[in-house]
Amino acid sequence: MTSVATLGSHCSLQVLKGAKDEGLKTILICEKKRERLYKRFPFIDEFIMVDSFKELLDQKCQIILEQNDAVLIPHGTLIAQMSSEEIESIKTPVFGNKWILRWESDRTMKENLMREAGLPVPKPVNNPNEIENLVIVKRQGAAGGKGYFMASSEKEYHAKREQLIKDGTISNDETLYIQEYAAGVLAYLQFFYSPLREELEFFGVDQRHESDIEGLARIPSNTQLTMDKVPSFNVIGNSPLVLRESLLEQAYTMGDDFVQASNRLVKPGMNGPFCIEGVYDENAKFTSFEFSARIVAGTNIYMDGSPYYSLLYGESLSMGRRIAREIKIARNTGKLDKITT
Ligand code: ATP
């Protein structure tokens, strides 16, 4: 019997509920400290208890998953806690393309793929002495916005960097990545590409709420000027957003271009859920600073179904359930190898 497994964090509840609704067995790889939390949810059939998610790589864990014919759904926690090599070494079939996750984690590879897809990316700044406009300074890997900061001059860059080193937020030898800041309305565009249907589906849009950059807007500017804390972009939660309908066409085009570029650069391409993340400016021009090549936590806001999926499918489908449905169809038609790596 095919089952769906995932790590207990990020969007695991949505993923496993969706699998259960599609009649598949559900397995949670659960850290012992979170057992009480996840045992509250009745749709989880089996728990694999671990001290650390890295135990997913152990033979013991892999054997249980194999015995259950499990498909592993990767999400942000897998990427945050494991290296690309470790992810690529997972023996359990991974939903989507595990090879593309390396392109998400490595800043240079990420930029190459975004450029190949023709996404309008912010201008990179190679050296702090080249800062001319407002920039955002990021850390390597998926740091989730923690320790990121803005600067509008080389002097400000060094002052803030020093302060973050002093705070212990970043280390002295850490290579930071600088790019021009894109101002506007944040939009995280969520898609699903089905290699079975050979079709791109637009699922929905979310906005991330990031602390403490958002909290700043509640503080009068004269008080802000007296504060010396460097605000961060740490994600706290997500909320829904609907795009103007006239922007949908461009969203689909970006999604299609991304799928095609992925297919050229990293076989078998961008299968399954993904997200293009960026900002719309005052002319509704989109600048994309990031992509996620797997399900994003922002889809959690549509656990009861996304508005666009109601239009496409005439029923309430979460992203978790959409994934499970793809697995079911692939299993029933002997095509599991087309949707997993
Ligand atoms: P995650 O893995 O959680 O997506 P990350 O470490 O890859 O995070 P980004 O998504 O690139 O980081 O950036 C984190 C946040 O910083 C974004 O959600 C956005 O609010 C802001 N941000 C990043 N790049 C830019 C930019 N060029 N212009 C404006 N805001 C930006």
Side-chain angles (χ1 to χ4, degrees):
M1 182 191 183
T2 311
S3 61
V4 164
T6 199
L7 302 183
S9 186
H10 195 265
C11 57
S12 60
L13 292 171
Q14 184 209 150
V15 164
L16 297 188
K17 174 69 166 60
K20 191 75 187 167
D21 289 344
E22 285 297 298
L24 300 173
K25 181 176 175 183
T26 58
I27 302 175
L28 188 78
I29 299 141
C30 182
E31 288 174 308
K32 289 179 184 147
K33 63 180 184 199
R34 297 239 176 113
E35 181 176 2
R36 245 170 74 81
L37 169 70
Y38 284 106
K39 287 253 158 104
R40 293 173 190 271
F41 299 96
F43 49 83
I44 306 176
D45 296 319
E46 188 168 333
F47 285 77
I48 302 179
M49 300 309 303
V50 293
D51 289 309
S52 136
F53 286 136
K54 293 240 183 201
E55 287 173 41
L56 168 65
L57 302 168
D58 295 351
Q59 218 191 358
K60 198 172 125 224
C61 194
Q62 304 256 329
I63 287 172
I64 301 174
L65 293 174
E66 199 186 318
Q67 284 165 348
N68 280 285
D69 259 338
V71 174
L72 181 75
I73 315 301
H75 55 54
T77 304
L78 186 80
I79 298 188
Q81 302 213 0
M82 281 185 209
S83 68
S84 299
E85 288 76 21
E86 285 172 329
I87 293 173
E88 288 162 5
S89 76
I90 295 172
K91 298 275 185 304
T92 308
V94 174
F95 188 77
N97 180 356
K98 67 180 175 187
W99 310 104
I100 203 172
L101 300 176
R102 180 184 283 275
W103 293 67
E104 176 182 333
S105 301
D106 181 295
R107 289 231 178 265
T108 313
M109 291 172 91
K110 171 178 283 176
E111 214 181 294
N112 287 346
L113 180 48
M114 292 175 84
R115 285 189 190 280
E116 176 77 16
L119 289 173
V121 294
K123 196 171 141 219
V125 177
N126 296 322
N127 193 304
N129 65 20
E130 290 167 17
I131 297 175
E132 284 170 357
N133 303 310
L134 183 62
V135 297
I136 178 161
V137 184
K138 307 185 188 187
R139 303 170 67 195
Q140 292 292 331
K146 210 163 191 174
Y148 292 16
F149 62 93
M150 286 194 248
S152 43
S153 67
E154 185 185 1
K155 192 167 157 226
E156 190 181 350
Y157 168 90
H158 287 299
K160 289 188 169 164
R161 182 174 165 271
E162 290 305 318
Q163 197 181 326
L164 287 171
I165 293 172
K166 219 166 76 193
D167 293 350
T169 311
I170 62 175
S171 65
N172 202 3
D173 54 359
E174 200 165 327
T175 315
L176 300 177
Y177 180 85
I178 313 171
Q179 68 179 201
E180 285 199 348
Y181 186 83
V185 173
L186 289 172
Y188 299 78
L189 313 176
Q190 308 159 351
F191 300 90
F192 184 93
Y193 179 75
S194 165
L196 301 179
R197 296 178 63 217
E198 295 186 357
E199 189 108 40
L200 177 75
E201 300 163 3
F202 183 60
F203 178 79
V205 193
D206 75 285
Q207 280 200 319
R208 262 176 223 171
H209 296 283
E210 295 161 334
S211 210
D212 42 1
I213 191 72
E214 283 195 17
L216 268 190
R218 298 166 63 99
I219 299 169
S221 58
N222 54 348
T223 313
Q224 287 179 25
L225 289 171
T226 62
M227 294 160 48
D228 58 3
K229 183 174 182 309
V230 181
S232 201
F233 288 76
N234 195 19
V235 185
I236 301 299
N238 306 72
S239 63
L241 185 76
V242 226
L243 289 183
R244 280 168 61 172
E245 197 160 309
S246 56
L247 296 175
L248 271 186
E249 173 131 26
Q250 188 207 15
Y252 268 106
T253 305
M254 286 193 290
D256 274 328
D257 291 347
F258 188 74
V259 167
Q260 282 162 25
S262 307
N263 199 36
R264 288 192 293 274
L265 293 189
V266 48
K267 296 274 181 224
M270 185 60 264
N271 295 338
F274 67 99
C275 183
I276 296 176
E277 303 159 14
V279 171
Y280 283 98
D281 74 5
E282 75 273 26
N283 300 313
K285 187 182 159 299
F286 191 72
T287 301
S288 175
F289 47 74
E290 162 87 316
F291 70 82
S292 299
R294 35 76 196 174
I295 184 170
V296 286
T299 57
N300 284 340
I301 54 181
Y302 302 118
M303 283 197 216
D304 273 338
S306 95
Y308 295 101
Y309 267 23
S310 300
L311 301 177
L312 287 176
Y313 284 94
E315 63 176 312
S316 301
L317 272 186
S318 67
M319 184 58 91
R321 190 158 181 183
R322 179 66 188 88
I323 293 171
R325 188 162 294 180
E326 190 83 347
I327 294 173
K328 226 169 72 175
I329 297 170
R331 180 197 60 190
N332 295 344
T333 52
K335 290 184 179 156
L336 270 176
D337 58 335
K338 248 195 129 165
I339 60 157
T340 56
T341 40

